Amino acid sequence: MKRFRHQLLVFFNHHPSLSLLSLLGPSLFWLGVFFLVPLLIIFLYSFLQKGPYGGILYQFTLENYRRFLDPLYLTILIRSFKLALMTTGICLVTGYPIAYRIAFAGKKWKNTLLVLIILPFWTSFLIRTYAWMLLLRDTGLINQLLLKFHIVREPLKLLYTEGAVLVGMVYGFLPFMVLPLYASIEKLDKTLLEAAEDLGATPFWRFLKVTLPLTLPGVIAGSILVFIPSVAAFVTPDLLGGAKTMMMGSLIQNQFGPARDWPFGSAISLVLMILVLISVFIYLRVTKEYE
Amino acid sequence: MNNPPSQYLHLPTAPRPRVSGLPRLRAPASPHSNSSWLDWVTGLGYLFLYTPILILIVFSFNNSRFNVVWKGFTLDWYIKLFEDTKILEALKVSLIVALVSTAISLVIGTLTAWAMYRYSFKGKRILEGVLYLPIIIPDIVMGISLTLFFVLIKFQLGMASIIIAHVAFNISFVMVVVRARLQGLDRTLEEAAMDLGADEVTTFFKVTLPLLSPGLVAAALLAFTLSFDDFVISFFTAGVGATPLPVQIYSMVKLGVSPVVNAISTLVLVISFILVTLAEKLQRK
């Protein structure tokens, strides 16, 4: 046994590329077959036609991409973008002060505050979205409080609106914004802030001229991490929105469910994929410049 | 924008006395000790993050069918939960899927992290990109593409297809966590072992692995949580063959709000919170 092991080691020492391959082999196989190949299938399907009873007809077409220009689908596309941008904006404006506060918190508090941001980050998004249904329903907690204090006469329509989707997405993705921002503010050379102060900068100008430019990579990272899942959100619009607030995610699900139009569903998915890749590219460019 | 405002130009009237030229022994005091609005915004942010969860937990103990008004404390919904065969079946599916996918992705992800840490090779940047992709790609795209793939190769949708999908996204998460731990390792310890005559295998098992183990356990806990909580990808890759817990919860929510959903949701949240807190503690070790 020992001798065999020794021989094996000698063999691998003589062939370092083989030992690398045996380390990387499993993940290359798994991600290749179960991640990249499926994405390739989507790419191919998006240029094919829908069969008469669903399924795929192997005939080349660009029709699936042209359909994006139909008013019906264009509205959904624009709504997805609008809500995703609003979500990103709100997360940035609320997430920045929170990340800043954590970065400047004392040692004792910092860990606790961070863990409290990380916890929702890892827990069931579905359940956290469902919790908002309890708050927003006609008989939900918010309406009950409003009625009780005679602020409104009859319950407000809160659930199944665009506003509900927006609140749900901000709630769901806020940690994605806070964490990269925190990392970026944490890395900041604090003496630069003092220098700015010593040179007479007011807090506002100091933030604008020193803090913000130096933490830009965090801003970009957080914005991308929020924007991508927002534009493709499925759970939030499905539970908190409704038929009137359809977004790209629900549209994709629809094509593979009731509509049975796989090629069109693939085309929408591919557009989302390309969006993701563009965002990542932007991020890499920005962080490179800073390094 | 290029003209600094006037207050930018004149120096503060009384510069703070400062010992310069000496190395600082402690970090400068936060220049924001008196920013109360920051505290307010942060407090509100945390309130916003945790209120809905707390409401959900409170209502899971509410003695009312319609979970609207507080009618008193009860454990009925938890009892009902454990009589509900559908939920128990879904729980079983979720546990099996989470355990198996965690085990597989832990091995593959660790091997990958090790290779990325030890070797530099052609195409490493590209591989890195591919490894981070499952983390950022929208769930729905991943779920749909895998489902199409399974249908195309005529692979029966069910427990196996969910496990395959979960391993596909968990490899990346495990790799990131383990790699972070590896980068914090003291290389000299391994070198010392080698100098004392241990071969690579012995060194790995006697030195590297024990040092790595908190990172490995943390990665396993996070992978388990992600798999156990995943809804979107499971929803698409489950077919009718198997129903994991989140998919079961989703269909119950769609049918109408029942307090049993609050009870099962509370349990899932509490389990996730415990696992993630443990993982956090381990990663800081």
Side-chain angles (χ1 to χ4, degrees):
Chain A
M1 185 66 212
K2 257 226 147 76
R3 251 198 75 202
F4 171 71
R5 196 169 93 184
H6 181 72
Q7 278 173 342
L8 206 65
L9 279 173
V10 167
F11 174 78
F12 272 130
N13 270 337
H14 282 280
H15 304 86
S17 58
L18 270 177
S19 57
L20 178 65
L21 200 66
S22 55
L23 286 175
L24 286 177
S27 61
L28 287 176
F29 166 79
W30 206 286
L31 290 177
V33 175
F34 300 123
F35 180 66
L36 294 177
V37 168
L39 292 180
L40 189 69
I41 292 174
I42 278 198
F43 174 78
L44 294 174
Y45 276 9
S46 71
F47 295 104
L48 298 173
Q49 289 175 23
K50 166 186 161 188
Y53 309 105
I56 296 283
L57 202 63
Y58 289 88
Q59 292 247 329
F60 178 84
T61 179
L62 287 173
E63 173 61 19
N64 300 311
Y65 290 96
R66 202 206 50 77
R67 273 173 78 183
F68 276 108
L69 302 174
D70 278 349
L72 173 67
Y73 299 118
L74 204 58
T75 331
I76 294 174
L77 203 68
I78 291 168
R79 182 185 302 125
S80 302
F81 263 84
K82 184 186 77 182
L83 284 173
L85 282 173
M86 283 167 84
T87 305
T88 310
I90 296 171
C91 280
L92 184 58
V93 172
T94 49
Y96 205 108
I98 295 172
Y100 199 94
R101 188 68 197 82
I102 300 172
F104 281 98
K107 249 205 148 64
K108 207 174 77 180
W109 277 96
K110 197 179 264 188
N111 267 351
T112 314
L113 288 173
L114 263 183
V115 168
L116 283 175
I117 292 284
I118 291 168
L119 275 180
F121 185 88
W122 293 98
T123 42
S124 173
F125 188 73
L126 173 77
I127 290 174
R128 292 195 300 129
T129 308
Y130 163 72
W132 275 98
M133 290 175 84
L134 292 179
L135 287 167
L136 296 172
R137 278 182 310 157
D138 288 6
T139 52
L141 204 73
I142 294 176
N143 266 320
Q144 275 189 56
L145 290 174
L146 291 175
L147 288 168
K148 197 171 173 178
F149 293 109
H150 299 291
I151 298 168
V152 292
R153 285 241 178 86
E154 50 191 55
L156 295 173
K157 191 98 192 78
L158 300 170
L159 195 58
Y160 308 128
T161 59
E162 271 189 19
V165 176
L166 192 62
V167 168
M169 291 208 296
V170 169
Y171 175 72
F173 304 134
L174 189 60
F176 292 71
M177 180 66 86
V178 174
L179 291 173
L181 275 177
Y182 160 80
S184 194
I185 299 168
E186 178 73 346
K187 274 207 288 264
L188 206 88
D189 182 354
K190 309 288 187 291
T191 52
L192 291 172
L193 298 184
E194 291 188 22
E197 207 173 7
D198 293 347
L199 292 170
T202 58
F204 172 76
W205 282 101
R206 186 184 62 194
F207 175 75
L208 215 61
K209 292 277 184 187
V210 181
T211 318
L212 193 58
L214 287 174
T215 52
L216 207 58
V219 172
I220 305 265
S223 301
I224 287 173
L225 284 180
V226 171
F227 183 80
I228 290 172
S230 303
V231 111
F234 160 62
V235 175
T236 323
D238 191 66
L239 289 182
L240 304 179
K244 285 198 195 111
T245 56
M246 196 173 219
M247 286 171 65
M248 265 161 100
S250 320
L251 186 65
I252 292 177
Q253 193 256 328
N254 232 322
Q255 299 312 310
F256 289 94
R260 294 194 65 82
D261 191 342
W262 293 2
F264 185 46
S266 299
I268 310 166
S269 305
L270 198 77
V271 168
L272 278 180
M273 271 285 309
I274 289 164
L275 265 178
V276 170
L277 293 176
I278 291 171
S279 316
V280 173
F281 184 72
I282 293 171
Y283 174 69
L284 289 175
R285 280 292 300 272
V286 170
T287 43
K288 238 201 186 115
E289 272 171 33
Y290 272 80
E291 280 163 9
Chain B
M1 278 315 282
N2 292 332
N3 302 331
S6 55
Q7 72 261 34
Y8 231 58
L9 295 169
H10 51 81
L11 286 166
T13 41
R16 280 179 296 169
R18 172 126 344 133
V19 186
S20 59
L22 285 174
R24 268 184 199 288
L25 292 178
R26 50 186 188 83
S30 149
H32 312 280
S33 38
N34 52 2
S35 267
S36 65
W37 73 270
L38 261 178
D39 295 1
W40 270 102
V41 172
T42 307
L44 283 174
Y46 279 94
L47 207 64
F48 173 68
L49 278 178
Y50 282 92
T51 308
I53 295 175
L54 286 176
I55 300 286
L56 177 74
I57 294 172
V58 167
F59 271 96
S60 72
F61 297 107
N62 185 14
N63 195 357
S64 148
R65 266 211 71 79
F66 306 102
N67 66 35
V68 174
V69 195
W70 182 255
K71 286 264 169 68
F73 180 91
T74 180
L75 286 173
D76 275 2
W77 309 118
Y78 289 88
I79 295 162
K80 278 219 169 52
L81 181 78
F82 287 102
E83 292 165 351
D84 191 323
T85 47
K86 268 192 169 160
I87 291 184
L88 292 182
E89 190 56 38
L91 179 68
K92 204 176 87 186
V93 170
S94 274
L95 283 175
I96 294 172
V97 166
L99 280 171
V100 176
S101 70
T102 300
I104 300 174
S105 58
L106 187 65
V107 173
I108 299 180
T110 306
L111 289 176
T112 312
W114 181 256
M116 300 300 269
Y117 160 75
R118 261 300 151 82
Y119 296 85
S120 52
F121 47 91
K122 234 188 164 140
K124 188 172 175 177
R125 289 297 306 260
I126 295 170
L127 181 65
E128 202 148 313
V130 171
L131 282 166
Y132 280 101
L133 217 47
I135 295 178
I136 45 174
I137 261 193
D139 287 353
I140 193 158
V141 175
M142 205 167 159
I144 288 291
S145 62
L146 261 166
T147 310
L148 287 180
F149 169 79
F150 287 134
V151 169
L152 189 71
I153 63 165
K154 302 212 164 30
F155 187 95
Q156 190 68 47
L157 293 183
M159 201 113 88
S161 61
I162 308 174
I163 290 171
I164 289 172
H166 284 199
V167 171
F169 67 70
N170 264 337
I171 288 175
S172 306
F173 282 101
V174 170
M175 198 270 307
V176 171
V177 174
V178 174
R179 205 175 162 188
R181 182 85 197 175
L182 277 167
Q183 266 148 3
L185 279 191
D186 187 354
R187 280 289 283 269
T188 53
L189 291 169
E190 290 168 332
E191 281 160 15
M194 303 280 275
D195 289 344
L196 293 170
D199 61 17
E200 283 94 335
V201 180
T202 313
T203 306
F204 182 79
F205 281 100
K206 295 273 186 203
V207 180
T208 318
L209 207 59
L211 287 171
L212 259 189
S213 58
L216 293 180
V217 178
L221 290 171
L222 292 176
F224 185 92
T225 312
L226 280 177
S227 172
F228 191 79
D229 282 344
D230 169 72
F231 162 67
V232 175
I233 290 173
S234 306
F235 181 68
F236 288 106
T237 50
V240 285
T243 309
L245 194 57
V247 178
Q248 180 64 32
I249 291 174
Y250 174 79
S251 61
M252 287 168 82
V253 169
K254 278 295 207 184
L255 281 173
V257 181
S258 136
V260 176
V261 177
N262 301 347
I264 184 67
S265 299
T266 300
L267 285 181
V268 171
L269 280 178
V270 169
I271 292 168
S272 303
F273 278 173
I274 291 169
L275 293 181
V276 176
T277 313
L278 275 176
E280 273 305 307
K281 281 206 158 56
L282 283 163
Q283 274 178 293
R284 289 183 201 284
K285 250 191 178 165

